[in-house]
Amino acid sequence: MTSKRRIGDREVYPVGLGCMNITHAYGPPMDETEAKALLVRALDIGYDFLDTATLYGFGRSEELIGEALKDRRDSYFLASKCVLGFKDGQRTLDARPETIKAACDASLKRLQTDVIDLYYMHRPDPNVPIEDSVGALSELVAAGKIRMIGLSEMGAADLRRAHAVHPIAAMQSEYSLWVRNPEIAIKAACEELGVALVAFSPVGRGFLADPPVDPAKFHESDLRGSIFPRFDPENYAANLPLLDEARACAAEVGCTVAQLALAWTMAKGDNILPIPGTTSLQHLEENWGAGQIELSDDMVARLDASFLPEKAVGPRYSPMGQSVVTTEMYPFERDQA
């Protein structure tokens, strides 16, 4: 059995389950009966770290977790997020202390639980000092409503400012062979401060699969067709040759390309936990199996070289998407924006 990894004072299986796309982002929501069955199956397989957010499905992802798993609450580590919320069917960004506290109460109700193990600021709010927001989160810790504080899509400077107010247990950042921005600064800052690095989209939003996703088949509601420029037809075609070496490496290891991508992410640091999302029971099991794969140092170095950051074509976010994060960018991303 693969060793568990630490988030704060808890240990979890190194591959978690991201619960965004059961309700949100990559097309129509799952059938809710099937979504609940997938959540139950995840715990049955051995997943013990579930990651959701207020925003996902405008609260419906949290509700599905509560409805499906309320009787098994002690068997998994639960993370959710605030700051990105919703009002009247529209997305909001608000990190004021009173908003964070109200959002937590609403999430607890939807999740049908008394405590959230890890509660993240989903995004920085440029209108609210991060110290004020983390102060509110620390009060939620004192009140027993959350156990740990996390941040998402923020840079090293924000992490240090937040950590000075209250220990930060986890930073959630997009990290994969295809998106290596954490290597600019946040990965080292997490290692220095003892913070877990939770890697979202570790399979490149479906790019690091075999076969990879086909943008021509995206549903009109799929965000990959609008705010992620690497999925633009011209950029995507230019990125596809990157998969040739990934397929060769996966064949040598004896795993799928997606499992290789997850194993690589975990090999980049003992504090890194990928949280792939899926709507497929087959992929759910494949992703969990990646936690059993250990790559050699030579294989990691080979993949590092094959997926040098500057080989990716296109910035990871559109200007709108980039405007609400403080994660560090590579110079080439600014040039391509």
Side-chain angles (χ1 to χ4, degrees), residues 121-157:
M121 290 182 62
H122 205 157
R123 291 290 190 277
D125 183 344
N127 298 313
V128 181
I130 196 168
E131 291 83 358
D132 293 354
S133 304
V134 175
L137 290 165
S138 71
E139 292 175 14
L140 291 173
V141 173
K145 293 182 178 182
I146 67 174
R147 291 196 172 101
M148 306 174 201
I149 299 172
L151 306 177
S152 177
E153 285 284 64
M154 300 189 202

Side-chain angles (χ1 to χ4, degrees), residues 20-21 23-28 55-58 84 91 122-123 200-201 204-205 213 215 217-232 315-318 320-321:
M20 177 181 74
N21 49 341
T23 60
H24 177 86
Y26 295 161
L55 184 66
Y56 301 161
F58 292 154
L84 281 183
R91 185 171 110 159
H122 205 157
R123 291 290 190 277
F200 77 85
S201 297
R205 305 183 191 275
V213 293
K217 297 179 181 178
F218 286 163
H219 186 270
E220 60 183 9
S221 65
D222 195 317
L223 295 180
R224 290 173 293 188
S226 57
I227 67 170
F228 304 117
R230 291 184 187 177
F231 290 94
D232 293 350
R316 75 183 183 105
Y317 276 136
S318 67
M320 181 192 74

Side-chain angles (χ1 to χ4, degrees), residues 197-215:
L197 178 56
V198 177
F200 77 85
S201 297
V203 187
R205 305 183 191 275
F207 173 71
L208 296 165
D210 195 13
V213 293
D214 181 357

Side-chain angles (χ1 to χ4, degrees), residues 4-12 169 195-196 270-271 273:
K4 291 197 171 188
R5 296 192 171 189
R6 185 171 294 276
I7 302 177
D9 62 358
R10 295 282 295 275
E11 290 188 339
V12 297
V195 176
D270 292 340
N271 67 322
L273 300 96

